[in-house]
Amino acid sequence: MNAHASIPATAGCGVEIRQEYGQRAVFCGLTGIVWLHRKIQDAFFLVVGSRTCAHLIQSAAGVMIFAEPRFATAIIDERDLAGIADMNDELDRVVGRLIERRPDIKLLFLVGSCPSEVIKLDLSRAALRLSKSLAPDVRVLNYSGSGIETTFTQGEDACLASLVPDLPSEPAEAATSLLVVGALADVVEDQFARLFAEMGLSDVRFLPARRANEMPAVGRNTRYLLAQPFLTDAARALEERGARRISAPFPLGAEGTTRWLQAAADAFGVDPKRFEVATAPGRKRASQSLDHYRERLGGKRIFFFPDSQLEVPLARFLSREMGAELVEVGTPYLHRAHLADELELLPRGTIVNEGQSLDDQMDRCRAAKPDLTICGLGLANPLEAEGLSTKWSIELLFTPIQGYDQAGDLAELFCRPLVRRTRLEV
Ligand code: SF4
């Protein structure tokens, strides 16, 4: 595949944005099931795919043979591919058996994959048909987790976007409400709910909710705040329902969390003194926990490969709060509007590279010899073998990292590989 890069553009904030096209190395959107199935407690994710897809999510999630898992794969086999079996009949049979055995399932996602897309299996029609036959006990939605031209966090985006048309409508006369969008660990969500309540914002909802029948209402009086930077389609779907976005950086690190909360406070006219009182203890705790890691991360040269779409907020955290130096910040996609506040905060001259040309980026990384490289699983081993310290970007999705009380854990994730390398060298 030929790679090429476009002419660099300098954003208004002094960040140099480059675009690159070529070979990519990323996981597919099925990976999102690993954290989404823990979040929506009565949902089930049925991947319609191949043995490769089944293998991917089982190894990503760690197989829980002792528990009733909330995801599975309906395997498309040779008979299906040869057209001997009717795929829709097969799917109805699999879903029927599943629901009979698992009456706890209230929301079923049919998750498309590369094979289901290649054979053009229409999962939206299947979801409609099954929703009708299983109503009112089970709702069936569909989205694609396929790895063709996507990256792994887009699975969550597609899943949340599929929920939006189904959300209840908020009455036109309802007071303005705040909707936090993006899957957060329950512990983080509870902390944010408490902080918002202390700021005087009691009507705060979260998407996704923890249970299918608790999904938030949405309408023209909804202001939404993104908790994750990769929710392009979900944001678009919410705006189609009349909701308006509150522009903010993302709640990573003490500064990111304060600015994120501040954006909501400003949008809802929270008294600055009340904001100060509500956030001061958390800011203090976060800043104390970060002190511990600053010495180890300060001055370290960091290189991001494009993988999770969390790269720009993470780079901002590492450079501004930890004193790290950014060699290159790769990101698979750069949503200019959603990331505008983050780009503003990056040091002048930071190189943000959108897209990927794997070989070129590997060459640049090797030449730069960064102290720490944040990359996908597939790149970590070869880079480690060449003597570079790496951090798997996927860990940043599996670990609660948002908010004041997780700021230290976030810094710790970046410190660990540096400590390990020091020990190896000793
Ligand atoms: Fe592989 Fe595509 Fe299945 Fe993902 S969806 S595991 S990329 S075949």
Side-chain angles (χ1 to χ4, degrees):
M1 197 178 295
N2 291 327
H4 67 278
S6 71
I7 301 159
T10 308
C13 47
V15 167
E16 194 177 299
I17 299 173
R18 299 177 178 172
Q19 278 172 322
E20 203 169 38
Y21 309 93
Q23 197 191 356
R24 301 154 74 238
V26 286
F27 271 134
C28 67
L30 296 187
T31 321
I33 294 171
V34 177
W35 61 90
L36 287 166
H37 88 276
R38 291 194 203 132
K39 184 71 207 170
I40 316 174
Q41 291 157 16
D42 50 4
F44 193 97
F45 295 80
L46 184 65
V47 177
V48 184
S50 63
R51 290 199 162 76
T52 311
C53 308
H55 193 69
L56 174 98
I57 58 163
Q58 284 194 348
S59 41
V63 197
M64 297 171 293
I65 44 170
F66 50 86
E68 281 281 42
R70 286 204 300 272
F71 56 85
T73 308
I75 309 272
I76 300 173
D77 62 18
E78 289 74 20
R79 290 176 66 245
D80 302 313
L81 293 174
I84 297 167
D86 183 314
M87 286 287 301
N88 284 301
D89 289 350
E90 295 269 308
L91 188 59
D92 290 6
R93 225 183 345 263
V94 169
V95 169
R97 271 206 312 267
L98 174 70
I99 299 300
E100 205 179 284
R101 208 171 55 77
R102 298 283 301 274
D104 54 306
I105 298 170
K106 301 293 171 219
L107 177 59
L108 174 67
F109 290 102
L110 302 178
V111 187
S113 64
C114 305
S116 73
E117 285 186 5
V118 167
I119 63 167
K120 301 209 177 340
L121 182 61
D122 189 344
L123 289 181
S124 60
R125 280 181 55 193
L128 271 178
R129 180 178 72 243
L130 286 161
S131 249
K132 264 192 207 145
S133 68
L134 297 170
D137 299 331
V138 185
R139 265 188 309 150
V140 185
L141 298 174
N142 74 290
Y143 71 88
S144 171
S146 139
I148 302 171
E149 290 297 310
T150 58
T151 186
F152 74 94
T153 45
Q154 280 177 276
E156 176 177 334
D157 186 25
C159 173
L160 299 195
S162 79
L163 282 168
V164 174
D166 239 37
L167 296 178
S169 293
E170 201 164 45
E173 66 283 5
T176 309
S177 62
L178 176 61
L179 179 65
V180 176
V181 186
L184 294 167
D186 289 352
V187 57
V188 177
E189 191 180 299
D190 291 342
Q191 288 164 10
F192 284 148
R194 272 198 299 277
L195 278 166
F196 285 125
E198 280 160 23
M199 284 158 50
L201 303 178
S202 50
D203 192 6
V204 181
R205 302 137 191 207
F206 292 84
L207 181 71
R210 295 180 199 184
R211 307 202 77 82
N213 66 359
E214 291 167 3
M215 292 294 166
V218 65
R220 302 189 73 77
N221 296 322
T222 306
R223 301 294 312 272
Y224 73 93
L225 190 57
L226 293 176
Q228 301 284 14
F230 42 76
L231 299 175
T232 307
D233 291 349
R236 195 179 306 121
L238 283 164
E239 282 174 20
E240 279 164 16
R241 298 278 314 261
R244 284 168 301 141
R245 184 174 64 89
I246 299 170
S247 182
F250 292 87
L252 297 172
E255 183 192 29
T257 303
T258 303
R259 287 179 183 266
W260 186 76
L261 292 167
Q262 179 81 62
D266 291 348
F268 283 81
V270 172
D271 176 60
K273 278 200 208 92
R274 187 159 189 183
F275 179 80
E276 175 63 27
V277 171
T279 56
R283 275 186 285 137
K284 190 167 169 209
R285 283 197 304 279
S287 150
Q288 281 169 347
S289 64
L290 291 176
D291 284 346
H292 181 64
Y293 299 103
R294 213 161 272 131
E295 199 185 325
R296 198 166 278 282
L297 286 168
K300 290 287 182 288
R301 298 171 64 251
I302 316 261
F303 194 106
F304 282 90
F305 274 82
D307 201 43
S308 66
Q309 298 193 63
L310 283 170
E311 293 86 1
V312 172
L314 290 173
R316 181 262 304 152
F317 163 73
L318 285 168
S319 72
R320 289 174 65 96
E321 294 198 60
M322 296 286 101
E325 195 188 314
L326 304 173
V327 179
E328 176 172 328
V329 184
T331 185
Y333 302 103
L334 185 68
H335 194 299
R336 306 292 199 275
H338 291 180
L339 285 158
D341 297 67
E342 290 286 355
L343 291 169
E344 284 286 336
L345 294 170
L346 286 177
R348 281 189 82 76
T350 302
I351 297 168
V352 175
N353 205 48
E354 184 185 16
Q356 186 166 38
S357 169
L358 184 56
D359 289 341
D360 292 329
Q361 204 166 26
M362 289 290 270
D363 289 347
R364 293 198 298 275
C365 181
R366 286 179 181 125
K369 293 194 175 47
D371 296 300
L372 181 63
T373 302
I374 292 105
C375 60
L377 284 165
L379 301 182
N381 277 349
L383 290 173
E384 287 278 343
E386 292 176 29
L388 295 177
S389 293
T390 60
K391 164 72 7 206
W392 296 348
S393 52
I394 205 162
E395 259 188 83
L396 297 151
L397 270 300
F398 293 168
T399 316
I401 53 168
Q402 294 83 4
Y404 292 130
D405 293 303
Q406 283 63 240
D409 298 345
L410 176 58
E412 158 93 28
L413 283 176
F414 294 111
C415 278
R416 248 182 251 159
L418 298 175
V419 174
R420 191 179 57 224
R421 173 121 339 239
T422 315
R423 287 201 187 123
L424 286 175
E425 280 166 4
V426 168

